[in-house]
Amino acid sequence: MKVLVLFAHPAFERSRVHAKLIRAVKQLPGVTLRDLYEIYPDFDVHPDTEQKVLKEHDVIIFQHPFYWYSGPALIKQWMDLVLEHGWAYGKDGNELKGKYMLQVISTGGNEGAYSPEGHHGHVVKQFMLPFEQSARLCHMHYLPPFVVHGTNQLSEQQLDQYAQGYTQLLQAIQAGQLDLQRAQQLQELNSLTGIPQITSASK
Ligand SMILES: Cc1cc2nc3c(=O)[nH]c(=O)nc-3n(C[C@H](O)[C@H](O)[C@H](O)COP(=O)(O)O)c2cc1C
């Protein structure tokens, strides 16, 4: 499987979590990484370029911090401009058919806070509904997110565990070893990677 990582972080120079995750991605041969804020600092996303890149890959990963229960603004701009009617969806819009889409997200709130009883009232995957349905509209298979929880409380060692888990996940996807049917039923892909549940408090 050919994997594309579309990375969006508007303040990458201050990042702790994604700095580590991106380092892990860069060490993996065969994964295409596109840093959207670096390529499009003025939000002038080029649909033709992006569509060409998409066609060359089987698995599309949006990697980003969780901002206001969604992604940073450039992700939305990218979707608005790239996922065109007649190309991605609608009559004859089948170019993404059969590909997989997933998100790799970091959240300030911890795992317990993202639950029906917790501070944010819903699990992270529920907030991803617009992404999930957009993938479906474009005839793609949507996989649950890989989530780095409670970013402010994570030690360097815990961050390393997440980076290692992400690497395992990418390798399994590349090698076609991920049980996609099982994966689709999960709330998060974390449990497939062997990373320990790190936090349980509700904020
Ligand atoms: C503008 C903004 C909005 C944010 N919104 C959320 C949010 O809705 N939920 C949440 O759990 N964390 C939220 N956060 C916290 C970030 O997700 C967290 O700082 C980030 O994932 C840490 O990753 P980094 O070290 O790579 O920057 C927000 C942060 C910023 C700056």
Side-chain angles (χ1 to χ4, degrees):
M1 296 266 231
K2 290 195 73 182
V3 178
L4 170 66
V5 175
L6 296 171
F7 173 57
H9 196 316
F12 190 43
E13 67 286 354
R14 293 197 296 275
S15 163
R16 239 182 111 222
V17 178
H18 290 274
K20 213 152 230 179
L21 298 185
I22 286 297
R23 215 171 299 143
V25 173
K26 283 183 174 167
Q27 282 167 8
L28 266 183
V31 174
T32 308
L33 171 65
R34 286 176 71 76
D35 181 340
L36 297 180
Y37 274 91
E38 189 179 78
I39 302 169
Y40 301 118
D42 301 324
F43 277 50
D44 184 17
V45 176
H46 298 175
D48 292 353
T49 308
E50 296 304 309
Q51 289 172 357
K52 186 170 173 293
V53 175
L54 285 172
K55 283 183 76 166
E56 291 162 359
H57 294 83
D58 308 300
V59 181
I60 319 301
I61 298 180
F62 287 105
Q63 181 186 329
H64 60 86
F66 207 35
Y67 275 11
W68 285 107
Y69 303 109
S70 185
L74 186 52
I75 297 260
K76 181 66 166 49
Q77 172 82 340
W78 184 99
M79 291 176 79
D80 291 351
L81 297 181
V82 178
L83 303 179
E84 288 179 321
H85 182 267
W87 187 85
Y89 70 101
K91 194 171 178 307
D92 301 327
N94 293 315
E95 297 291 342
L96 299 173
K97 191 171 184 170
K99 296 182 190 292
Y100 289 85
M101 200 256 255
L102 70 104
Q103 284 158 286
V104 172
I105 302 166
S106 58
T107 67
N110 68 27
E111 201 165 352
Y114 283 99
S115 65
E117 307 75 34
H119 191 60
H120 301 291
H122 306 273
V123 298
V124 172
K125 184 167 179 272
Q126 288 180 293
F127 291 105
M128 298 295 115
L129 188 57
F131 292 93
E132 181 172 353
Q133 189 53 32
S134 300
R136 292 228 173 90
L137 187 73
C138 298
H139 318 289
M140 290 191 276
H141 307 286
Y142 181 81
L143 294 173
F146 176 80
V147 186
V148 179
H149 295 279
T151 55
N152 298 330
Q153 298 155 23
L154 292 176
S155 67
E156 287 303 306
Q157 195 195 351
Q158 287 169 324
L159 274 178
D160 286 337
Q161 287 176 332
Y162 274 111
Q164 216 178 326
Y166 187 23
T167 303
Q168 283 171 13
L169 181 67
L170 289 171
Q171 284 173 327
I173 291 172
Q174 279 185 307
Q177 287 167 349
L178 194 72
D179 182 343
L180 295 166
Q181 288 214 321
R182 184 177 156 221
Q184 276 174 319
Q185 284 155 20
L186 299 169
Q187 294 291 353
E188 295 178 355
L189 295 183
N190 296 32
S191 57
L192 297 180
T193 66
I195 57 165
Q197 194 176 0
I198 288 172
T199 50
S200 58
S202 66
K203 285 220 169 173

